[in-house]
Every structure is written in C-alpha cells, then in structure tokens.
Amino acid sequence: MARNQKVAEFDVLVPVEGIAKIGGEIEQRVTLHRLWQVPDREEALARLAPKIKAVIATSHHAIVDAALMRRLPNLQIVASFGVGYDHIDAAWAGEHGIMVTHTPGVLDDEVADIAMALTLAAVRQLPQAERYLREGRWPGGAYPLTASLRGRTMGILGFGRIGKAIARRAAAFGLDVVYHGRAQQTGAPFLYYPSLIGMAKACDILMVAAPGGAGTRHIVNREIIEAVGPEGIIVNISRGSLIDEEALIVALREGKLLSAGLDVFENEPNVPPALLALDNAVLLPHVGSASRHTRQAMADLMIDNLNSWLDGKGPLTPVPETPWKG
C-alpha cells in the first residue's frame, strides 16, 4: 500500500494536543479525531468509540488507562510519543490484545546530556553563580567556592538505554559508576548493587533513570535520600513520581542533602513553591528530550510505528507488555 494512500475506515483518537507534525502526517492516511478540540469530550467519545482503532498519545499527559480502552471495542493499537509509557495501562492492553508502541533509542543521548548538565549545575552551583554575576555582585568579591565532582561515585537507578548512556558520560568525567536495577546486566562494566539502599549508601550522586509507574512510585523515599548523605546530590531525569518530593524538600532544607537537579516533578507543570524557594535545587521544565532534532526523531518513530501497523507489518518498537508475535 502506498504510504500516502488513505486506509478505509481507520479512525484514530488523539486525546490531547501534541506536536502538529504527527497529526498532519497521520491524517494523510487515517481519519483523525482531535478530542481536545471538541466542546463536549464525553459526547464525542461516546459517539466515536465504536469507530476508533488507534489512539495516539502525543504526551505523557494523555492518560490511556483501562477505563478509556474499555470504551473502545475495536481498538488495535496505542502509539505513544516518548520512551516512558506509565500514562498507558500497557499490562491491561496486552491482556486484551491491544498493541502499545513507544519511541525508545532516539532520545537517549539527549536525555543523558541533560542528566550530566544537571549534575554539573547542581554540584558547581552554576545557576547560582550566573545569578551572582548578573546581579552585579562580582565586583564585591569572588563567588564562594563550591563542591566538586572529583572523587565522587554516581549510582544510577535504572540501567536501561538512558542509564547506560549516562554511565558512559559519567565515566568520561572521571566518576566511579555503580548501578541498581531489577537484575544485574551481563556485560555491564560497572558494579551492581542488588538493593537500592545499599547503592545509596555507597554513592554521593544518585541518578534517577528508572521507568515511572505504580511499581516505582516514591522508590526514592526519605531513607534513600538521607542515605546519599549531606554531601550528596540527587538528579532525576525520568519521572517525578519516583521521588518523594516532600521528603526531598525537607532533606534539602535541613542540609541532609547537598543539592538536587530535577527535570521532572510529581505534578507537572505545577512545582511546589517550597521547592522553588530552595537555592540548592536546580530545576528544569521537563526538557530532557526537548531539542528540535530529538523531538523530530521521536515524532518520526511514532509515525513509523503507526504506518507499519497500517501496512500490516506490525509495530517497530512495541513495549515489553505487548510483544509482537507476527
């Protein structure tokens, strides 16, 4: 089938607004329903439900849970934009014969770069130093000395593609690298810790790079945070739900943790005022993969997944819960 040929009676639901390119390209082949544009979402969903064969989750704000999928009796595939897919009930989808795809691989380096940038910014107080200069305070004296990366150990929580990309960068910076995950990985040239608390006690930079979801919610709790220590740094580039935000705020405020670098938060885009008030927290608005180059690559892979499905070839990058059996 030609790539620009319309597929008869293939309706696709887009719950929330996302990158325009995705909808524009997909619409050449399918009938697209942009749910966020209709005045009455419930009425539209009830009317469209029997027609919908695919859902495009263009951001992690597009919740595709069992409740939504139950309403779509002819749903075949959920195509997600991003490597993380905790906003989709992939287990339920797999149990009910629904394919779920995501966009791994194409954003690893971009996110790993931001992970190291946050690490440097947190340990060397780079945003604070820049403010010092901009506020005209330099003529009154040099900026105070900061902590250093020298002699530190980075413990990486989650050792998938992004975790490995971070490890390569951290090693190039001269850091010792250790990791914790569900299981030890054959061939990984770094020390594995079977328990998170054990790794937290052994490292002074805790890099959070594990998937989100119910199984990892608040996995970095008060005990883990305090185990990293008063000279320690916590960096999170995965999902805000992995860290107990309140416990992190208390530790930063009370000097039980040196600093934190965060690109993600529990209730995005709302960041707690108490966290904003802390000068020892470096905060970014979830920009880990937000370069034009990488977002284009993510969009292309998402579109390619859906096009491959429409062509009867199956998905390119299915999630583990919904493997393609051909």
Side-chain angles (χ1 to χ4, degrees):
M1 180 182 293
R3 184 49 60 90
N4 61 354
Q5 184 175 339
K6 198 87 168 181
V7 179
E9 297 183 359
F10 200 97
D11 289 58
V12 177
L13 184 71
V14 189
V16 302
E17 188 173 6
I19 294 178
K21 166 190 168 65
I22 296 173
E25 290 204 17
I26 292 298
E27 201 164 25
Q28 297 176 25
R29 305 194 68 194
V30 303
T31 301
L32 211 62
H33 302 281
R34 297 174 173 87
L35 196 58
W36 81 88
Q37 292 182 340
V38 302
D40 189 338
R41 291 171 59 99
E42 280 302 309
E43 182 279 330
L45 192 55
R47 172 171 44 83
L48 295 170
K51 300 179 179 181
I52 300 301
K53 294 182 179 177
V55 173
I56 293 178
T58 50
S59 89
H60 67 279
H61 297 298
I63 306 300
V64 186
D65 55 14
L68 175 60
M69 289 186 280
R70 282 193 193 96
R71 300 180 66 177
L72 310 175
N74 295 305
L75 182 62
Q76 299 176 10
I77 183 171
V78 178
S80 184
F81 180 81
V83 64
Y85 54 94
D86 49 303
H87 53 297
I88 301 168
D89 192 338
W92 191 93
E95 292 167 2
H96 293 81
I98 299 166
M99 178 57 60
V100 178
T101 66
H102 62 154
T103 61
V106 294
L107 71 163
D108 302 347
D109 287 331
E110 209 76 78
V111 175
D113 288 349
I114 288 292
M116 289 307 300
L118 275 171
T119 302
L120 283 167
V123 73
R124 294 299 310 275
Q125 300 180 8
L126 299 183
Q128 299 92 322
E130 188 197 27
R131 287 197 299 271
Y132 188 86
L133 181 150
R134 288 181 180 274
E135 291 168 0
R137 299 166 64 189
W138 192 8
Y143 186 79
L145 299 181
T146 69
S148 172
L149 280 184
R150 307 286 73 77
R152 287 185 178 270
T153 297
M154 176 182 285
I156 302 178
L157 168 58
F159 210 61
R161 293 181 180 90
I162 293 174
K164 290 182 176 70
I166 295 169
R168 292 192 296 271
R169 285 159 173 78
F173 272 87
L175 295 169
D176 290 332
V177 176
V178 297
Y179 74 98
H180 167 75
R182 285 185 292 247
Q184 185 172 6
Q185 299 202 21
T186 303
F190 306 107
L191 180 64
Y192 171 71
Y193 278 85
S195 75
L196 178 55
I197 186 65
M199 185 179 78
K201 291 176 179 178
C203 72
D204 46 24
I205 302 174
L206 177 60
M207 177 64 66
V208 183
T216 55
R217 177 172 173 75
H218 287 187
I219 189 172
V220 180
N221 55 24
R222 180 186 60 80
E223 182 185 20
I224 300 298
I225 293 168
E226 294 185 3
V228 179
E231 292 300 313
I233 299 156
I234 292 179
V235 178
N236 188 4
I237 45 76
S238 55
R239 285 287 189 263
S241 60
L242 276 78
I243 296 181
D244 183 338
E245 222 163 62
E246 286 301 315
L248 180 66
I249 290 168
V250 170
L252 288 168
R253 184 189 293 143
E254 296 182 355
K256 295 177 180 177
L257 189 70
L258 180 66
S259 60
L262 308 174
D263 186 43
V264 289
F265 306 89
E266 284 201 69
N267 185 28
E268 296 178 9
N270 304 302
V271 179
L275 191 52
L276 293 171
L278 292 170
D279 197 47
N280 55 344
V282 179
L283 312 175
L284 297 178
H286 203 152
V287 296
S289 65
S291 72
R292 288 185 291 273
H293 169 86
T294 293
R295 289 291 171 87
Q296 179 68 55
M298 293 165 66
D300 288 343
L301 181 52
M302 183 182 189
I303 292 166
D304 288 345
N305 265 297
L306 191 53
N307 276 325
S308 184
W309 186 264
L310 292 171
D311 293 339
K313 299 176 181 178
L316 301 177
T317 52
V319 304
E321 293 89 341
T322 64
W324 176 241
K325 299 175 182 176

